[in-house]
Amino acid sequence: MIEFKNIVKRYRTKTIINPFSLKVNAGELVVFIGPSGCGKTTLLKMINKLIQPTSGQIFVNGTDIASMNPIELRRNIGYVIQNTGLFPHMTIKDNVELIPKLKGENPKAIEKKTDELLQMVGLDPKEYKNRYPKELSGGQQQRVGVARAFSTDSDIILMDEPFSALDPVTRQSLQDELFQMQKELNKTIIFVTHDMDEAIKIADRICLLKDGDILQFDTPENILKNPANEFVADFIGKRRIWNNPELLIAEDFMIPNPVKITAKRNILQALEIMKENKVDSLMVTDKNNLLIGLVTLKGIKLLNRNTTVEDVMEKNVLSVSHDANLISVLATMNEHRIGYVPVVNDRDQLIGLITRSSILSALSSQLIDMEVAF
Ligand SMILES: Nc1ncnc2c1ncn2[C@@H]1O[C@H](COP(=O)(O)OP(=O)(O)O)[C@@H](O)[C@H]1O
Ligand SMILES: [Mg+2]
């Protein structure tokens, strides 16, 4: 756990960090993002005491770091920077094992861990362990940098734009590997970037900074959907949501409160309600608003006046959950060859209806926004 409490940083008269307070939970990957010069690196370096705050406190696992020995602290925090900082005259193995050896960990255990870590970052230990950094590509060196950061038994890793000098393909595969490793090893990570796609891909929460202030600290989903202000909206770009369609959920593109009817009404009443609302089907709900069926114009055969909705409705209606994402809703509709699908909440109550046109209109209103924005 890392906590900033009222951290201020001033150089002479210039204030770089305004009172800054933030809590990063254990096992969480938090991304700091913001324009160049907004204070990201400064905040990161304060955690391992490379920079002293002007005032305020930082707690690492509950201890105020002001009382901690900086060398000891740094040995227990993995740190990855853009130009790996690998020692050129040391082999990959020695680079990765440097800190565990300094800490006097068991040699057998170290050896095993090195192999595992190299494997995790996609480098075959047999092939690479005894090479020197200059015998590796930039991307491979950066993989070693990541492995080295994870080699300390510390549960905290700080990463300052570690992937920004890499080509897009290498970069994406390292993002995937980092994400996997973090889930497996459960480290607490603060990751600095200026790339929103990278942030969205790996973050549990994103802290958006500007001029030493927090503009928004929230999950990627919430930042994309509800940017706190114009600056955040501009920074993420309105088109972003369409690069991440899996973040759009049923609630975002359903028609709320669809026309419905109860099972005991008769079919003449059903026909009347359809006519009034210009629809050709009605959701059937019970008194608790649970979805129990669907009645369609085609399905209604006039038997007699007393035929009820219950007699003619389709039961076992397919529905989707309010938090199902766009991709899975489209897959459901295609798979079952249906043009609409009701949306239910966690208690199976009807809350909306998705139709092809509700999807289209949600999409096109966003596209219009996009054209205005760009
Ligand atoms: N030693 C220093 N003296 C004066 N200003 C500094 C010093 N170090 C950093 N700054 C300023 O602090 C601000 C934040 O820098 P930094 O944390 O490196 O930003 P970021 O990593 O977000 O790009 C910048 O405006 C930078 O010019
Ligand atoms: Mg920086």
Side-chain angles (χ1 to χ4, degrees), residues 193-317:
T193 184
H194 56 253
D195 176 355
M196 197 64 188
D197 287 320
E198 185 163 80
I200 290 165
K201 193 161 165 196
I202 63 175
D204 292 315
R205 285 192 290 172
I206 295 174
C207 178
L208 220 141
L209 295 154
K210 184 174 180 256
D211 303 332
D213 285 318
I214 299 177
L215 295 186
Q216 194 165 5
F217 182 38
D218 211 334
T219 60
E221 286 86 343
N222 286 339
I223 289 188
L224 286 172
K225 277 186 203 151
N226 307 305
N229 55 41
E230 275 303 300
F231 181 86
V232 177
D234 280 351
F235 195 81
I236 60 181
K238 290 205 168 91
R239 75 176 79 205
R240 188 83 41 191
I241 196 91
W242 304 113
N243 295 338
N244 298 278
E246 69 280 0
L247 296 181
L248 270 185
I249 58 169
E251 277 176 343
D252 300 328
F253 51 91
M254 69 185 188
I255 302 162
N257 306 316
V259 191
K260 58 191 183 185
I261 191 167
T262 51
K264 296 292 176 217
R265 307 288 291 272
N266 69 46
I267 50 176
L268 287 179
Q269 293 169 321
L271 289 171
E272 194 53 39
I273 294 175
M274 286 184 194
K275 207 168 99 189
E276 235 168 63
N277 292 283
K278 302 191 170 62
V279 295
D280 60 5
S281 59
L282 299 171
M283 307 295 131
V284 185
T285 51
D286 71 4
K287 62 181 188 306
N288 297 318
N289 199 31
L290 293 182
L291 178 66
I292 55 171
L294 176 78
V295 54
T296 62
L297 191 56
K298 266 197 306 196
I300 295 180
K301 295 172 206 79
L302 197 52
L303 302 172
N304 61 59
R305 289 190 63 84
N306 297 327
T307 310
T308 62
V309 165
E310 194 164 24
D311 299 328
V312 296
M313 73 182 187
E314 286 171 39
K315 294 173 186 127
N316 305 320
V317 184

Side-chain angles (χ1 to χ4, degrees), residues 115-133:
D115 285 3
E116 282 169 5
L117 287 169
L118 287 175
Q119 208 92 55
M120 274 182 166
V121 297
L123 295 173
D124 177 5
K126 276 207 265 332
E127 190 175 344
Y128 291 97
K129 232 167 31 174
N130 298 312
R131 290 202 197 176
Y132 288 87

Side-chain angles (χ1 to χ4, degrees), residues 40-41 160-161 192:
K40 306 180 293 291
T41 297
D160 196 350
E161 310 209 19
V192 168

Side-chain angles (χ1 to χ4, degrees), residues 11 14 16 34-43 51 160-161 192:
Y11 288 109
K14 197 177 160 210
I16 304 303
S36 173
C38 70
K40 306 180 293 291
T41 297
T42 304
L43 285 166
I51 293 180
D160 196 350
E161 310 209 19
V192 168

